[in-house]
Amino acid sequence: MRGVVGVILAGGESTRMGTDKASFELHGRSMVEWVADAMTGFATVALVGRRRGPAGMEAVPDLHPRAAGPLSGLQTALTVWRSPVVLVAVDQPLVRSETLARLGERAAANETAICVDGRPQVTCASYATTCLGEANRQLRTGGSIQQMLKSVPWTRVERHDWSSWGEDGRSWFSMDTPDDLIAAEQRFRLDLLG
């Protein structure tokens, strides 16, 4: 996807998983590899929140590592690349290429677009470059992406839209704990652990 950066957020400490989520393996591949594989259509794919990524992947540490939540990763990506981004959390290994491609189309038009599934799924979304100023303001005051969205224009991608992409919610299903892995297997009828 020309002019759009695929960003994998990996700045968390993985305390609930009990081990580093980025390197946690599902069927012999790390979570970060699963997410990166789904981003094959992006010219640039980078890991934000780490000093090193898997072989061949660019990695950038958070500019504000003490900030909690994904806002710091978003602000870092927008600052470093000055391009629209499609954001995915490293603990969302079931993310679908088709969903990312559709979000990438929105990002290529410099549009902030977020799938809504009960609530806005802010870590599987596209963000316009125009979000940077408000991201900076929210970081200074301890805010969040959700608070940022109150002050920037964004498009709600509702269920009838994202389901037409073949999406069933797996793309933003976060696996924060071992119990989440079991829940994902049951909900999406998958064998993740073998």
Side-chain angles (χ1 to χ4, degrees):
M1 187 93 19
R2 190 174 181 173
V4 178
V5 178
V7 173
I8 304 172
L9 294 177
E13 295 184 9
S14 304
T15 52
R16 290 180 287 171
M17 183 63 84
T19 187
D20 179 35
K21 287 187 284 190
S23 60
F24 188 88
E25 290 192 0
L26 302 171
H27 286 291
R29 292 169 53 224
S30 67
M31 283 195 189
V32 71
E33 290 172 307
W34 282 96
V35 176
D37 285 351
M39 290 188 153
T40 55
F42 294 87
T44 302
V45 176
L47 191 64
V48 171
R50 301 291 174 103
R51 296 200 178 277
R52 288 193 191 95
M57 183 182 292
E58 186 173 356
V60 175
D62 269 332
L63 297 176
H64 304 276
R66 290 192 174 87
L71 179 63
S72 176
L74 172 61
Q75 186 272 349
T76 296
L78 292 173
T79 300
V80 170
W81 285 284
R82 301 288 175 170
S83 296
V85 300
V86 171
L87 213 62
V88 179
V90 75
D91 62 5
Q92 295 169 323
L94 303 180
V95 67
R96 299 174 63 252
S97 294
E98 176 66 17
T99 297
L100 295 180
R102 296 299 184 100
L103 291 170
E105 292 168 2
R106 304 288 183 100
N110 206 27
E111 178 184 351
T112 299
I114 302 172
C115 295
V116 177
D117 187 6
R119 59 184 167 79
Q121 302 300 318
V122 297
T123 57
C124 185
S126 71
Y127 291 93
T129 56
T130 53
C131 291
L132 181 56
E134 186 60 24
N136 285 329
R137 280 188 285 282
Q138 290 298 330
L139 274 174
R140 285 194 298 272
T141 60
S144 65
I145 289 181
Q146 290 84 350
Q147 289 167 313
M148 180 192 79
L149 293 177
K150 295 175 183 175
S151 300
V152 299
W154 62 283
T155 301
R156 295 172 62 95
V157 182
E158 301 288 358
R159 179 181 294 272
H160 64 273
D161 291 319
W162 54 256
S163 63
S164 73
W165 306 342
E167 181 59 64
D168 59 2
R170 70 183 60 208
S171 289
W172 45 83
F173 189 91
S174 296
M175 297 188 199
D176 294 317
T177 70
D179 287 344
D180 292 335
L181 297 171
I182 295 166
E185 287 187 317
Q186 293 171 349
R187 178 174 172 185
F188 302 111
R189 297 184 180 95
L190 300 170
D191 176 14
L192 295 174
L193 300 174

